[in-house]
Amino acid sequence: MEMEAQENTVQQKLSGNNMIEMIKVSRSYPPDIQALKDISFSVETGEMFFLIGRSGAGKTTLLKLICNMEMPTNGLIEVAGYNINSLKGKDLALLRQRIGVAYQDFKLLNDRTVAENIAIAMEVSYKKQRAIKQRVRDLLDQLQLTSKHDLLTGELSRGEQQRVTLARSVANSPRLILVDEPTGNLDSTTTEKVMDLLTRSNKAGATIVIATHDASIYENSNKRIMELRDGMIHSLVRGNTI
Amino acid sequence: MNFWFAVIRQTGRNLRQTWSSQVMTFLTVSLSVLIFAFFSLIYTNMIGAGDRLTDDLSLIVYLEDEPGEAMKEQLRRKILNFDEVEELRFISREEAYERFAKQLGENSDVLLDMPTDFLPASIEIVPLKSLRGYSQIKLFSEYLTSLPGTEKVQYGQEWIERFYHFVRLLTIVVILSGTLLILTATFMVAYTIRLTILGRQDELELLKLVGATNSYIQTPFLIEGILQGLMGSVIGLIALYGLFQWISTRFTGPGILNLFQFDFFSPLILIAIVLASISLCAFGSYTSIRKFLQI
């Protein structure tokens, strides 16, 4: 009962106005590396948001801060109205179940099959086995990986691994999806499939933040694009205007 | 899918992934339980034998002279002043002679030339059952020796003294082996769980990132410890029972073991050993979780 009530609260907050709020956020690493400095922006619920910049600009660090993989040195980060850095235990776990992340380094379990890797995101929220199997099949179908269902992820190419990571990030139908370089190892046809999947999730109500340096996926869009340079916001504009 | 299904599946994965160290830990726990339970079994049986031994215990106070009625009353008062007794009986020289003759049976004619008062008068004292500890008996005997007119006090002290020394030695062995084996088993379980945690660091990190709760991540490791404790103790006790049966069969007939009634543990003790083993292994597992599973 208590868990259900907590889940409902998270759900309500996830449907609020701003999905992400960042106010004067900085992140530095010892000895004196300033990865991010005074970052302030917000992402609306249901928005698709692009984060661009060269390698080392701070895109990945920013995504890690949003999903609480790392803590900011300064500043406030709110996700769905929660100060994500003050959340602990069950509250943090419940919020994380609602955030799907496709990591740049994939974070796949190489001794598990493709299906098991995707299922893991749904297992932690105790989805029914039948529903998990069906969802895994659908996602693999959408990403043209049906034949890889029972292969170990260690046996896949980098492009295939990237798609499995993406499938895992959207599997639990999260309200916020963070994607780090989703098309880095893909050809144009597969890139299109990947973007289709993300667009479908976005249309279904998910807020999506995509960190990329692949201009082909945002240059013709009318979505907001934020460029980072040397850990600072260089520009924040709507697409087609850059 | 519910919580327990997920947790049990995860436990199965842990066991499969680190099966070789799991087997080693399982054997260590079994062996520890076997050794500890073996010494405990001997110990409890010795204590039982000690109790049975003291059931027939009586102290004989040999007196220098035959006491008169007044003296008898004085001695009785003095003895009862020290402690209550179950039975106190004066044996006169004649009575002692008759008893001795009876004991000699057909050979009683060797006493024909002896005067009927050549044996000393004595007092036979049966102490209370609750006061039959070795130190209490020794204290009582010293008191009786100090009474005026007492020549000697006998109660088979040498035998009892040796027996109680042996029991004391066995107590030390049980405590030491218990402590060492408890530490070994707990450490082994903690070490195995640590290996599992370190071996699955990537997966645990991922589980945290996709929103697994602390109990979802920690419970399988705790179950692993509990399983080690349960399986280890059950197998250890089965092995001990086998050993007990073998000894019982092998040493039937006249022999030292037949001096004692040798019993196996009662079901209550068996359950207590299994529960203690489970608790210790769960504790070992818990310490590793606390130390190495930062959530």
Side-chain angles (χ1 to χ4, degrees), chain A residues 78-119:
Chain A
E78 281 188 357
V79 174
Y82 291 103
N83 177 349
I84 196 154
N85 300 124
S86 66
L87 283 181
K88 281 195 174 75
K90 204 176 276 179
D91 291 331
L92 180 61
L94 284 175
L95 188 64
R96 276 177 167 167
Q97 285 175 18
R98 295 287 167 195
I99 304 174
V101 188
Y103 306 93
Q104 195 175 17
D105 59 354
F106 308 148
K107 295 203 185 301
L108 292 173
L109 305 173
N110 291 332
D111 57 344
R112 303 271 183 91
T113 66
V114 168
E116 285 171 337
N117 266 280
I118 299 171

Side-chain angles (χ1 to χ4, degrees), chain A residues 3 69 89-90 93 96-97 103 107 109 111-112 116 120-121 123-124 126-129 132 168, chain B residues 1-3 5-6 9-10 13 17 200 202-203 205-214 216:
Chain A
M3 181 102 167
M69 255 178 95
K90 204 176 276 179
R96 276 177 167 167
Q97 285 175 18
Y103 306 93
K107 295 203 185 301
L109 305 173
D111 57 344
R112 303 271 183 91
E116 285 171 337
I120 208 164
E123 285 171 359
V124 297
Y126 312 122
K127 292 270 190 319
K128 286 198 169 75
Q129 271 300 306
I132 292 175
R168 188 184 57 202
Chain B
M1 188 162 74
N2 62 32
F3 174 77
F5 178 79
R9 201 168 63 165
Q10 202 68 9
R13 277 179 188 152
Q17 198 166 357
R200 295 186 50 220
D202 291 347
E203 186 187 347
E205 191 195 345
L206 179 69
L207 282 171
K208 281 185 266 175
L209 293 174
V210 296
T213 56
N214 288 355
Y216 183 97

Side-chain angles (χ1 to χ4, degrees), chain B residues 213-229:
Chain B
T213 56
N214 288 355
S215 47
Y216 183 97
I217 297 174
Q218 291 175 344
T219 311
F221 293 107
L222 212 56
I223 291 180
E224 208 177 302
I226 290 170
L227 277 178
Q228 289 283 9

Side-chain angles (χ1 to χ4, degrees), chain B residues 208-252:
Chain B
K208 281 185 266 175
L209 293 174
V210 296
T213 56
N214 288 355
S215 47
Y216 183 97
I217 297 174
Q218 291 175 344
T219 311
F221 293 107
L222 212 56
I223 291 180
E224 208 177 302
I226 290 170
L227 277 178
Q228 289 283 9
L230 175 70
M231 301 277 288
S233 58
V234 167
I235 297 298
L237 288 172
I238 289 172
L240 180 68
Y241 187 71
L243 191 66
F244 170 79
Q245 284 296 338
W246 182 77
I247 290 172
S248 304
T249 329
R250 182 85 174 75
F251 295 98
T252 47

Side-chain angles (χ1 to χ4, degrees), chain B:
Chain B
M1 188 162 74
N2 62 32
F3 174 77
W4 287 108
F5 178 79
V7 158
I8 287 165
R9 201 168 63 165
Q10 202 68 9
T11 310
R13 277 179 188 152
N14 288 0
L15 295 176
R16 270 202 309 275
Q17 198 166 357
T18 51
W19 69 269
S20 52
S21 47
Q22 299 287 353
V23 169
M24 284 305 293
T25 308
F26 163 70
L27 289 176
T28 311
V29 174
S30 299
L31 207 63
S32 302
V33 170
L34 174 65
I35 296 170
F36 175 68
F38 177 73
F39 283 123
S40 301
L41 186 66
I42 295 176
Y43 176 74
T44 49
N45 274 286
M46 283 296 159
I47 294 290
D51 285 346
R52 281 191 290 276
L53 206 69
T54 52
D55 276 353
D56 306 322
L57 182 81
S58 65
L59 292 102
I60 299 165
V61 183
Y62 291 104
L63 302 170
E64 289 165 354
D65 298 308
E66 180 89 49
E69 280 310 311
M71 179 72 169
K72 275 185 189 174
E73 196 45 46
Q74 273 182 318
L75 283 171
R76 182 190 301 274
R77 237 189 354 257
K78 276 295 208 188
I79 291 167
L80 292 178
N81 268 353
F82 183 83
D83 225 327
E84 278 191 61
V85 296
E86 206 164 276
E87 201 182 324
L88 191 152
R89 196 150 33 95
F90 284 90
I91 312 287
S92 64
R93 288 171 187 269
E94 283 74 24
E95 213 177 326
Y97 180 87
E98 278 164 28
R99 274 188 181 188
F100 189 40
K102 208 173 174 184
Q103 279 171 9
L104 288 173
E106 290 173 1
N107 302 320
S108 61
D109 49 355
V110 294
L111 296 175
L112 286 177
D113 295 335
M114 301 292 283
T116 55
D117 61 350
F118 83 100
L119 289 170
S122 60
I123 314 169
E124 262 184 27
I125 303 164
V126 180
L128 283 177
K129 268 199 174 217
S130 54
L131 299 170
R132 289 182 190 175
Y134 171 63
S135 53
Q136 283 159 316
I137 296 293
K138 204 175 169 192
L139 213 64
F140 195 22
S141 147
E142 278 165 10
Y143 174 74
L144 294 172
T145 312
S146 70
L147 288 177
T150 301
E151 203 170 73
K152 193 179 175 186
V153 178
Q154 260 189 358
Y155 58 95
Q157 49 263 64
E158 264 186 39
W159 214 103
I160 289 183
E161 221 163 274
R162 276 184 200 165
F163 180 80
Y164 277 101
H165 277 312
F166 178 67
V167 170
R168 203 178 302 157
L169 187 73
L170 208 58
T171 310
I172 295 168
V173 170
V174 168
I175 291 171
L176 275 182
S177 68
T179 312
L180 281 175
L181 296 170
I182 281 168
L183 287 175
T184 311
T186 314
F187 173 77
M188 277 301 284
V189 171
Y191 184 74
T192 312
I193 301 286
R194 185 183 135 189
L195 274 185
T196 316
I197 290 172
L198 294 178
R200 295 186 50 220
Q201 207 67 51
D202 291 347
E203 186 187 347
L204 296 174
E205 191 195 345
L206 179 69
L207 282 171
K208 281 185 266 175
L209 293 174
V210 296
T213 56
N214 288 355
S215 47
Y216 183 97
I217 297 174
Q218 291 175 344
T219 311
F221 293 107
L222 212 56
I223 291 180
E224 208 177 302
I226 290 170
L227 277 178
Q228 289 283 9
L230 175 70
M231 301 277 288
S233 58
V234 167
I235 297 298
L237 288 172
I238 289 172
L240 180 68
Y241 187 71
L243 191 66
F244 170 79
Q245 284 296 338
W246 182 77
I247 290 172
S248 304
T249 329
R250 182 85 174 75
F251 295 98
T252 47
I256 183 105
L257 281 174
N258 290 322
L259 291 177
F260 306 109
Q261 189 190 331
F262 214 61
D263 296 320
F264 198 64
F265 290 123
S266 68
L268 208 67
I269 302 278
L270 290 175
I271 292 169
I273 292 175
V274 172
L275 288 180
S277 171
I278 288 174
S279 309
L280 284 170
C281 292
F283 174 73
S285 171
Y286 177 73
T287 52
S288 273
I289 290 170
R290 293 275 302 193
K291 204 168 172 185
F292 298 103
L293 202 59
Q294 304 296 336
I295 298 175

Side-chain angles (χ1 to χ4, degrees), chain A residues 166-234:
Chain A
L166 190 76
R168 188 184 57 202
S169 72
V170 301
N172 205 23
S173 306
R175 306 310 297 160
L176 172 62
I177 300 170
L178 307 174
V179 194
D180 199 357
E181 300 290 359
T183 58
N185 299 289
L186 306 179
D187 56 56
S188 59
T189 319
T190 320
T191 297
E192 209 172 298
K193 294 268 178 201
V194 164
M195 287 313 292
D196 277 352
L197 180 68
L198 290 172
T199 307
R200 260 201 299 279
S201 297
N202 182 232
K203 281 183 178 158
T207 307
I208 298 182
V209 178
I210 303 171
T212 184
H213 59 254
D214 178 2
S216 72
I217 63 171
Y218 63 83
E219 62 192 358
N220 295 319
S221 85
N222 59 349
K223 310 292 183 191
R224 286 202 301 153
I225 301 162
M226 184 169 89
E227 186 180 359
L228 290 177
R229 273 193 200 169
D230 299 326
M232 288 190 285
I233 297 177
H234 176 69

